[in-house]
């Protein structure tokens, strides 16, 4: 008698089908889990940097490099051109005012000086000759004046006598009239001679004044020429140190060419370059600090150069108090330039996390330090060391501050120690 066969519920085909369905569902679930923002990631504790949030003094500052320079420098330019014949000192020499530095030669300039001196001598000689001639003319005119005055006196005597005789009818009218005419003639001669003498005096005075002015002008030109020849010996204009001196024997230097500079050694200043991003926040009297020899010194901005070159501008700073001993020209100082006053704030150390989060969130560790959770934060000001925390963190919180380059979709980090 045939028995009906019992039908199997879990045959191989059904098991394989069910297994496939479960696998697909698990895959979908895992995918949803990892993309829904609830993902976790295991990280090695030695590969991350952890910093503790703290409360402390906060100040905005920027690091800048400054170069030590003399308090002032005077450029040394060639006032006249010439050939370098002799060098009295070398670069770096400490000089007193008017100490000779080098000697130039300029044949054309020296020849011009000789010609100028000859011209002055000729003018002086001509002036002396003209003065002698004028004196002779004056003497001649005065002699003539003396003669006409004498002639006038004689004519006046005869006229007076003839007038009396004519009144007494002792002489005729013709003889009397002759004496009258002679007397009038001599009076006119005297007046004319006086005018000649006066005109001669005025003319001589004008000529002498003109000659004197011409001589003085020529003499001044001669002095300038002598000064130019004297400038062939280049001298130090002030006490200081000769730097950037560029001259060799036999070299030709043009007028106005830079020969070097004199650094005044009475003090130092610091010149620093700052990124143009901060140009609206830099003002005179701002203070910076630098460390040298284990001691902190202060600098104060005295001048801001607003011209921007290659994205940077310059400032001059002076020392507040005494400068460090042994400081030298050209030395570089690393300066912290304050942009704000010191205030109390919650501080978070700077790190690579900011590049991925923009300061909007961080991974904060739990109390055990084994798990870090993503939390939203708000940051404010910053300096090269810290961010100012506005909200989201409190003093004592521990935060991962290293790079979050692979953590964009991660919500929780399990830290393996």
């Amino acid at each position: 008698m045939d028995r009906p066969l019992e039908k199997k519920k879990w045959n191989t085909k059904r098991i394989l089908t069910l297994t496939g369905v479960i696998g697909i569902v698990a895959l979908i679930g895992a995918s949803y889990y990892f993309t829904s923002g609830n993902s976790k990631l295991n990280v090695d504790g030695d590969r991350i940097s952890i910093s503790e949030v703290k409360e402390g003094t906060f100040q905005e500052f920027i690091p800048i490099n400054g170069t030590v320079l003399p308090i002032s420098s005077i450029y040394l330019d060639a006032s006249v051109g010439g050939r370098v014949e002799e060098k009295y000192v070398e670069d770096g020499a400490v000089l007193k005012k008017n100490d000779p530095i080098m000697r130039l030669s300029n044949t054309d300039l020296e020849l011009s000086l000789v010609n100028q001196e000859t011209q002055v001598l000729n003018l002086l000689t001509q002036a002396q000759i003209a003065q002698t001639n004028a004196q002779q003319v004056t003497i001649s005119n005065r002699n003539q004046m003396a003669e006409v005055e004498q002639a006038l006196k004689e004519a006046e005597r005869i006229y007076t006598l003839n007038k009396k005789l004519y009144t007494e009818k002792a002489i005729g009218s013709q003889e009397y009239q002759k004496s009258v005419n002679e007397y009038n003639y001599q009076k006119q001669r005297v007046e004319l001679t006086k005018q000649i003498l006066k005109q001669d005096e005025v003319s001589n005075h004008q000529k002498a004044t003109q000659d004197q002015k011409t001589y003085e002008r020529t003499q001044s030109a001669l002095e300038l020429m002598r000064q130019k020849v004297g400038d062939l010996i280049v001298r130090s204009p002030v006490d200081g140190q000769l730097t950037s001196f560029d001259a060799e024997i036999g070299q030709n230097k043009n007028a106005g060419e830079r020969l070097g500079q004199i650094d005044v050694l009475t003090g130092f200043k610091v010149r620093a370059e700052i990124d143009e991003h901060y140009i609206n926040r830099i003002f005179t009297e701002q203070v910076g600090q630098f460390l040298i020899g284990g001691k902190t010194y202060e600098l104060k901005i005295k001048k801001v150069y607003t011209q921007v070159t290659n994205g940077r501008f310059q400032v001059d700073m002076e020392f507040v108090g005494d400068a460090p001993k042994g400081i030298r020209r050209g030395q570089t100082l690393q300066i912290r330039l304050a942009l704000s006053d010191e205030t109390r704030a919650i501080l978070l150390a700077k790190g690579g996390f900011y590049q991925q989060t923009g300061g909007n969130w961080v991974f904060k560790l739990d109390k055990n330090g084994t798990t870090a959770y993503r939390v939203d934060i708000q940051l404010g000001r910053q300096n090269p060391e810290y961010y100012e925390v506005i909200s989201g963190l409190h003093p004592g919180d521990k935060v991962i501050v290293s790079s979050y380059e692979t953590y964009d979709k991660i919500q929780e980090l399990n830290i393996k120690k």
Side-chain angles (χ1 to χ4, degrees):
M1 183 176 179
D2 293 333
R3 289 185 306 156
L5 296 175
E6 186 178 353
K7 189 175 181 181
K8 294 182 179 180
K9 294 181 178 181
W10 298 100
N11 55 26
T12 303
K13 181 177 180 181
R14 179 172 291 184
I15 292 172
L16 291 175
T17 300
L18 184 59
T19 301
V21 172
I22 293 172
I24 292 172
V25 171
L27 182 61
I28 293 174
S31 175
Y32 176 78
Y33 178 81
F34 283 105
T35 59
S36 64
N38 296 320
S39 57
K40 299 180 181 180
L41 183 67
N42 295 327
V43 296
D44 188 348
D46 294 333
R47 294 180 176 273
I48 60 175
S49 298
I50 299 173
S51 178
E52 182 177 344
V53 178
K54 62 181 181 180
E55 184 177 2
T57 301
F58 179 83
Q59 184 180 43
E60 283 187 282
F61 68 88
I62 55 174
I64 59 176
N65 289 329
T67 303
V68 178
L69 299 175
I71 194 68
S72 64
S73 295
I74 298 176
Y75 291 121
L76 193 65
D77 295 340
S79 57
V80 294
R83 180 179 181 273
V84 179
E85 295 292 341
E86 188 175 2
K87 291 169 59 178
Y88 301 113
V89 294
E90 296 293 338
D91 188 52
V94 177
L95 303 172
K96 295 291 185 181
K97 184 177 180 179
N98 291 326
D99 281 353
I101 297 173
M102 60 185 292
R103 180 173 64 85
L104 304 173
S105 65
N106 187 320
T107 305
D108 293 339
L109 189 61
E110 292 168 350
L111 183 59
S112 296
L113 174 61
V114 173
N115 292 336
Q116 192 77 23
E117 289 176 335
T118 303
Q119 183 178 355
V120 171
L121 183 61
N122 289 338
L123 280 174
L124 184 60
T125 302
Q126 292 172 6
Q128 289 174 342
I129 293 173
Q131 186 178 9
T132 301
N133 292 336
Q135 289 174 348
Q136 290 177 351
V137 171
T138 300
I139 292 172
S140 175
N141 289 335
R142 286 179 177 176
N143 287 333
Q144 185 178 357
M145 184 66 190
E147 291 175 358
V148 297
E149 285 178 342
Q150 180 62 33
L152 176 61
K153 289 180 180 179
E154 181 63 21
E156 185 179 11
R157 185 186 67 81
I158 296 173
Y159 162 70
T160 303
L161 178 62
N162 287 347
K163 183 177 180 181
K164 182 178 180 182
L165 293 176
Y166 179 71
T167 303
E168 296 174 352
K169 299 187 182 297
I171 60 174
S173 61
Q174 185 174 0
E175 187 176 354
Y176 170 70
Q177 190 62 42
K178 181 179 178 182
S179 65
V180 172
N181 292 340
E182 180 66 19
Y183 174 64
N184 290 334
Y185 169 69
Q186 294 300 333
K187 285 200 299 183
Q188 290 178 355
R189 284 188 67 194
V190 168
E191 292 298 324
L192 181 61
T193 306
K194 285 181 178 179
Q195 292 179 7
I196 291 174
L197 277 174
K198 185 175 181 180
Q199 185 176 0
D200 178 62
E201 182 180 354
V202 172
S203 177
N204 288 341
H205 178 71
Q206 290 177 343
K207 183 67 167 58
T209 302
Q210 221 171 35
D211 289 345
Q212 181 65 25
K213 289 182 178 180
T214 302
Y215 175 75
E216 289 175 355
R217 285 196 299 268
T218 310
Q219 188 69 27
S220 296
L222 176 60
E223 291 301 322
L224 288 175
M225 185 63 67
R226 285 174 177 167
Q227 183 178 344
K228 290 182 70 174
V229 172
D231 288 341
L232 289 173
I233 297 180
V234 181
R235 299 178 180 275
S236 175
V238 294
D239 295 351
Q241 184 177 28
L242 177 64
T243 60
S244 305
F245 183 43
D246 180 20
E248 298 297 335
I249 302 298
Q251 188 177 10
N252 286 318
K253 295 293 184 180
N254 297 321
E257 186 174 345
R258 181 64 44 80
L259 303 176
Q261 66 185 47
I262 303 294
D263 294 336
V264 179
L265 302 179
T266 55
F268 294 97
K269 65 181 178 182
V270 175
R271 179 162 295 173
E273 289 192 345
I274 304 176
D275 191 283
E276 64 177 332
H277 172 75
Y278 299 100
I279 194 167
N280 293 328
R281 302 191 64 187
I282 302 300
F283 305 96
T284 57
E285 303 301 320
Q286 279 181 284
V287 176
Q289 295 181 337
F290 68 95
L291 186 66
I292 187 170
K295 185 178 178 181
T296 300
Y297 294 86
E298 287 191 347
L299 292 163
K300 183 167 56 178
I301 293 179
K302 294 303 293 181
K303 185 175 183 180
V304 179
Y305 299 89
T306 55
Q307 181 178 0
V308 177
T309 304
N310 297 326
R312 305 183 74 80
F313 67 98
Q314 293 182 328
V315 297
D316 281 347
M317 310 180 75
E318 68 175 14
F319 291 95
V320 178
D322 295 332
K325 292 182 179 180
I327 200 168
R328 299 181 61 186
R329 180 184 188 275
Q331 186 173 347
T332 300
L333 304 178
Q334 296 179 340
I335 306 165
R336 288 167 48 126
L337 181 62
L339 301 181
S340 69
D341 295 331
E342 291 185 347
T343 57
R344 299 292 294 178
I346 298 174
L347 307 177
L348 174 62
K350 300 192 77 169
F353 72 93
Y354 193 89
Q355 279 67 36
Q356 280 73 41
T357 71
N360 295 316
W361 57 273
V362 293
F363 280 109
K364 184 177 75 171
L365 277 67
D366 61 7
K367 293 182 180 180
N368 297 325
T370 57
T371 305
Y373 300 95
R374 180 168 172 165
V375 296
D376 292 333
I377 64 171
Q378 182 181 356
L379 301 180
R381 298 172 297 171
Q382 58 178 293
N383 61 33
E385 298 174 353
Y386 295 103
Y387 295 106
E388 179 188 27
V389 179
I390 304 300
S391 63
L393 295 173
H394 300 89
D397 290 341
K398 293 184 178 181
V399 175
I400 298 175
V401 294
S402 51
S403 176
Y404 290 3
E405 188 174 355
T406 58
Y407 303 163
D408 285 350
K409 303 298 182 179
I410 306 300
Q411 291 291 319
E412 183 179 324
L413 297 177
N414 293 322
I415 303 172
K416 294 182 179 181
K417 297 183 179 179

